[in-house]
Amino acid sequence: PGLMSVILLCVLSLVLAGSGSGLHGRNASVSHEYCVLGAGPAGLQMGYFLSRSQRDYIILERNAGPGSFFQIYPRHRKLISINKIYTGRRNKEFNLRHDWNSLLSDRPTLLFQRISRELYPNADDFPRYLSTFVKELGLKVKYGADIGRIKASDFNGNQGYILTDQNGVSYQCSVLLVSTGLWVPQQVDFLGSDLVEGYESIPTDPEEFKDQAVLILGKGNSAFETAQSILGRASRIHLYSPSPVRLAWQTHYVGDLRAVNNELLDTYQLKSLDGLVEGRLEDIAIGKEQLYLTLTELLDQNGNNISKVTGQNLPGFHTDNFSLRQPYDRVIRCLGFRFNFSVFDGSARPPQSSGARGRLPGITAWYEGRGTPNMFVLGTAAHSRDYRMSAGGFVHGFRYTVRAVHKILEQRYHNIGWPATKLPISQLQSWILRRVNEASGPYQMFGVLGDIILLRGSYCEYLEEFPLQALPQLSTLSGRPLTDHGLLVLVMQYGLNRTDTLGPGRAESEWTKAWRSNFLHPVLYYYNTLPTEKDMRQRPVGWPLPRPEAVHHMVEDFLTEWDQPISHSQPLRRFLEHCLQTDLRAFYAESCFLLSLTSRTPPLFCRQGYLRKQGIMGNSHLWQHAREAGLMADHHGHITPGDDTSVSEYLKHADAAVVSTMNFDL
């Protein structure tokens, strides 16, 4: 009996230990420095950065695996995120410009192309990729933790947060990182809205729509995706919403209608019974016996019951050619999704955004909730910062904003400054050309993330992918002070000119008119001092930044390769020389040698290169190549360093050597 008692006590102690350390018994409490809410792509991306910097964190996910949204949506299982595997380049950073599904990591093979080779992959592949990401990186994810309440709490004088799950377990967090995405269906209340089917629950078998008339509320990708799936079965399909359809290839916003979903535009414009109609959703009503659409203004003034919608209050009774006068067999709501505010109590609830019809939380330029200190919003839920302007609501955009937020966290809570590369001014042009030709962050998050160049005299500090709208707080957020030498900001942006996207004159090829570029192109802004909050508010409409002291557009390029000597390199050098008041020409070693003998202040390139045992070694072959390429004047007599001429005659003809091409794959 004594032995059995000992055994029972040992078993009981093991069970209790397990419930406390791993299972967290009811009403237990655990603490972490960082709590990441949601194991979708944004939450896992932040988990990677927190893990790499060895921070105390936990990722809380209510479902049994990561990326649960993609196990349901899109309903018809085709992603519209590009998975372009073959680019003709080996440069991994460049290739991320055309890989819209992979997350960032230090594993060069941990890319989405391991899971799928399709240009538009099946949605089931994405949760599989996220599971692989979690497993290979060993991220700390707790599944089955359904957080039902979030409240603010005071932790040693700083606001923190307490999250409570369905089992009563409390998670105390100094910093809360919300990455729950948007998953609550957006609805509109109108007479008969209870008769409408939701995108989240409609059948996906096209045969169930055979010979039916279907009205779809909405004109986004979910609406067109639904229409496209039943296009060959439904008798007619009409799409109804307040706004005309917006095409992504016209607006450059990837959240607008993508070509992969727009087959109904053909059947509409080629007169095959389908169509698009504009009108306010709040102004419609739907009858019960037959799904007629009418307008509330035609109903009785006392708001009569929806079952009494009759022929007398249908629009067709008053206007016999009303577009939607025929009844429908089904009405489907495809209006997108909204952020779930319900889990936040009053002390922790972020405000609704002023844009995006209030569907998103309101956040600062550095992605911290407004009025909720130490709570940051990540991923699709943070799209209010660039809604309808850039790609921050999508994986290929927010993987970079998450990285930027992590750098802000490192500075604020651990006093680790924003990573910066210290460069001699003579190397700045080459560094800028490398970034505009390969960097994926500014390319994907155009107009939102930009490179900051802090000028320090003979050298500079280069900060990559800083949130542009937070520029007035640069020193605080980055830990990098400004000097009186000013700063440069490198941004990728589209032109503001309204042009026919596919018509003649849609592109600018003349570098002297680079400011008229319409397609994505690099723009450099020079400021003597840091712009203020007021400057940001008063910036010109459509500009990502306030008016600078000087601005330089690099002319758009059909190949998106800004590496040509006349159109790209030389204008950039002249602009930098104007801002820095410094000669930035590059010289061969022979030129630097002679200039060093004859001048007290040789050019900056020679001082920072040749005189430090660096530089371009010249010979007659290189000089001949430079003349043939048009980079140097072809003077009479073909003067070269080897000619028996006086130093003064040689220097009169010496000029800068300009690199004509750059191989960014090396």
Side-chain angles (χ1 to χ4, degrees):
L3 179 60
M4 290 299 296
S5 300
V6 172
I7 293 174
L8 287 173
L9 286 173
C10 291
V11 171
L12 181 60
S13 63
L14 288 172
V15 170
L16 291 175
S19 65
S21 61
L23 301 178
H24 301 315
R26 182 170 293 277
N27 298 323
S29 178
V30 293
S31 297
H32 294 279
E33 185 177 12
Y34 295 96
C35 288
V36 182
L37 186 58
L44 298 183
Q45 185 67 86
M46 177 55 78
Y48 162 73
F49 289 118
L50 292 173
S51 177
R52 190 181 65 174
S53 55
Q54 299 181 337
R55 304 303 174 199
D56 172 27
Y57 77 97
I58 187 69
I59 303 174
L60 301 172
E61 168 59 44
R62 63 176 180 160
N63 293 291
S68 57
F69 179 89
F70 295 93
Q71 294 175 352
I72 305 173
Y73 305 107
R75 293 300 313 281
H76 302 90
R77 311 314 289 149
K78 178 185 280 190
L79 295 176
I80 59 174
S81 47
I82 293 173
N83 183 38
K84 190 175 180 65
I85 297 173
Y86 303 105
T87 65
R89 304 281 287 272
R90 299 187 305 275
N91 187 300
K92 295 180 177 60
E93 178 68 14
F94 173 86
N95 288 342
L96 281 172
R97 290 182 169 187
H98 311 287
D99 174 353
W100 289 14
N101 299 283
S102 296
L103 298 182
L104 306 176
S105 77
D106 55 3
R107 305 282 182 92
T109 62
L110 193 50
L111 301 174
F112 184 75
Q113 61 182 257
R114 279 175 52 180
I115 306 297
S116 174
R117 313 289 286 181
E118 297 297 321
L119 181 64
Y120 295 108
N122 187 285
D124 293 328
D125 293 332
F126 197 60
R128 288 174 52 213
Y129 169 69
L130 296 180
S131 295
T132 303
F133 192 84
V134 171
K135 182 178 179 181
E136 294 198 9
L137 295 173
L139 302 184
K140 301 174 183 177
V141 184
K142 179 175 175 56
Y143 297 111
D146 189 1
I147 301 300
R149 183 175 183 235
I150 300 173
K151 67 176 183 178
S153 182
D154 183 84
F155 295 158
N156 300 321
N158 297 312
Q159 180 164 311
Y161 297 89
I162 298 177
L163 289 64
T164 306
D165 70 11
Q166 77 277 22
N167 296 317
V169 178
S170 295
Y171 302 86
Q172 299 182 7
C173 318
S174 300
V175 181
L176 175 59
L177 303 163
V178 180
S179 54
T180 54
L182 309 180
W183 58 270
V184 179
Q186 176 78 355
Q187 303 191 37
V188 176
D189 186 30
F190 56 84
L191 293 174
S193 58
D194 57 314
L195 305 174
V196 173
E197 301 174 69
Y199 171 73
E200 65 278 5
S201 59
I202 57 170
T204 56
D205 181 3
E207 293 299 327
E208 296 199 28
F209 296 84
K210 188 175 180 179
D211 202 28
Q212 293 184 350
V214 180
L215 175 64
I216 298 177
L217 305 180
K219 293 198 194 86
N221 278 295
S222 62
F224 273 86
E225 166 211 327
T226 301
Q228 186 150 308
S229 71
I230 62 175
L231 206 54
R233 294 294 180 270
S235 60
R236 71 177 187 272
I237 306 171
H238 294 159
L239 275 68
Y240 183 92
S241 75
S243 303
V245 65
R246 291 182 288 248
L247 302 172
W249 55 264
Q250 286 182 323
T251 64
H252 307 300
Y253 175 59
V254 298
D256 284 336
L257 178 60
R258 304 288 300 285
V260 69
N261 282 329
N262 71 7
E263 290 180 11
L264 183 134
L265 296 182
D266 265 13
T267 58
Y268 171 36
Q269 289 298 312
L270 299 179
K271 306 178 295 300
S272 193
L273 299 180
D274 305 316
L276 311 176
V277 180
E278 284 72 54
R280 278 173 43 89
L281 294 171
E282 295 84 355
D283 293 342
I284 66 174
I286 295 176
K288 282 186 178 180
E289 284 77 14
Q290 287 184 299
L291 298 181
Y292 278 101
L293 182 142
T294 186
L295 304 177
T296 54
E297 64 184 29
L298 300 179
L299 301 178
D300 293 344
Q301 293 298 316
N302 60 3
N304 56 325
N305 190 279
I306 189 64
S307 62
K308 296 181 181 179
V309 172
T310 64
Q312 283 70 31
N313 51 36
L314 292 178
F317 183 81
H318 304 272
T319 305
D320 61 2
N321 68 338
F322 177 64
S323 301
L324 307 180
R325 60 183 177 271
Q326 294 295 332
Y328 295 94
D329 297 295
R330 309 177 88 131
V331 180
I332 302 173
R333 166 182 40 77
C334 297
L335 301 175
F337 301 91
R338 62 185 297 110
F339 182 74
N340 180 23
F341 290 93
S342 66
V343 297
F344 300 88
D345 75 4
S347 64
R349 179 182 172 123
Q352 292 178 275
S353 61
S354 56
R357 301 188 298 279
R359 296 186 298 123
L360 304 169
I363 56 176
T364 66
W366 51 95
Y367 299 91
E368 190 171 16
R370 294 189 181 279
T372 54
N374 304 321
M375 177 196 294
F376 293 81
V377 182
L378 311 175
T380 303
H383 194 29
S384 61
R385 288 307 315 174
D386 63 309
Y387 182 66
R388 298 199 47 76
M389 295 186 296
S390 194
F394 311 90
V395 174
H396 66 288
F398 64 61
R399 61 191 179 193
Y400 303 102
T401 58
V402 170
R403 180 163 65 183
V405 170
H406 177 256
K407 294 175 182 177
I408 291 171
L409 300 179
E410 289 290 286
Q411 163 59 24
R412 178 184 292 188
Y413 302 112
H414 309 286
N415 201 30
I416 297 176
W418 197 285
T421 302
K422 185 177 179 180
L423 296 170
I425 286 296
S426 59
Q427 295 181 16
L428 178 57
Q429 178 185 351
S430 297
W431 200 268
I432 290 174
L433 288 172
R434 182 184 70 85
R435 289 288 293 169
V436 302
N437 281 287
E438 72 173 36
S440 58
Y443 188 91
Q444 303 287 28
M445 287 303 295
F446 53 88
V448 175
L449 297 181
D451 291 355
I452 311 298
I453 304 161
L454 302 178
L455 304 175
R456 310 290 199 206
S458 63
Y459 72 96
C460 65
E461 291 183 355
Y462 200 106
L463 285 64
E464 298 178 358
E465 298 168 21
F466 188 85
L468 296 177
Q469 300 307 305
L471 195 58
Q473 291 80 29
L474 173 68
S475 297
T476 301
L477 297 176
S478 70
R480 304 285 176 179
L482 211 64
T483 69
D484 55 6
H485 293 282
L487 72 156
L488 289 160
V489 183
L490 174 62
V491 188
M492 301 291 288
Q493 62 186 69
Y494 283 94
L496 299 178
N497 303 314
R498 298 292 181 181
T499 60
D500 183 349
T501 312
L502 298 180
R506 61 184 178 270
E508 180 59 61
S509 59
E510 175 55 54
W511 68 268
T512 58
K513 300 177 182 178
W515 58 274
R516 297 176 56 181
S517 295
N518 295 310
F519 200 64
L520 192 66
H521 63 287
V523 183
L524 274 161
Y525 295 77
Y526 170 68
Y527 297 96
N528 288 326
T529 59
L530 199 63
T532 64
E533 289 277 8
K534 181 179 179 180
D535 294 334
M536 294 299 295
R537 290 193 301 270
Q538 297 178 348
R539 67 186 186 275
V541 176
W543 284 41
L545 292 169
R547 290 191 183 277
E549 276 69 43
V551 65
H552 173 67
H553 290 255
M554 296 180 69
V555 68
E556 61 184 303
D557 187 79
F558 181 73
L559 301 176
T560 61
E561 295 176 356
W562 293 275
D563 59 3
Q564 296 305 296
I566 296 175
S567 295
H568 305 128
S569 300
Q570 182 171 295
L572 173 61
R573 175 173 64 82
R574 296 292 181 136
F575 172 75
L576 294 176
E577 288 177 336
H578 168 75
C579 296
L580 304 174
Q581 294 296 296
T582 302
D583 184 353
L584 295 179
R585 290 178 296 169
F587 294 86
Y588 289 124
E590 289 92 335
S591 302
C592 287
F593 173 70
L594 293 169
L595 289 167
S596 300
L597 292 177
T598 57
S599 173
R600 292 184 178 180
T601 56
L604 183 65
F605 180 87
C606 297
R607 298 200 304 272
Q608 295 187 342
Y610 172 76
L611 295 180
R612 296 180 181 178
K613 299 182 180 180
Q614 301 173 10
I616 305 172
M617 294 301 296
N619 55 43
S620 58
H621 173 74
L622 286 175
W623 280 62
Q624 180 65 24
H625 172 73
R627 283 196 296 270
E628 292 174 352
L631 303 178
M632 300 178 65
D634 188 9
H635 299 292
H636 295 293
H638 302 288
I639 300 172
T640 67
D643 290 337
D644 186 15
T645 57
S646 67
V647 171
S648 59
E649 181 67 14
Y650 162 67
L651 290 176
K652 184 172 67 174
H653 297 292
D655 201 352
V658 181
V659 179
S660 60
T661 59
M662 303 179 73
N663 184 357
F664 294 97
D665 290 329
L666 298 178

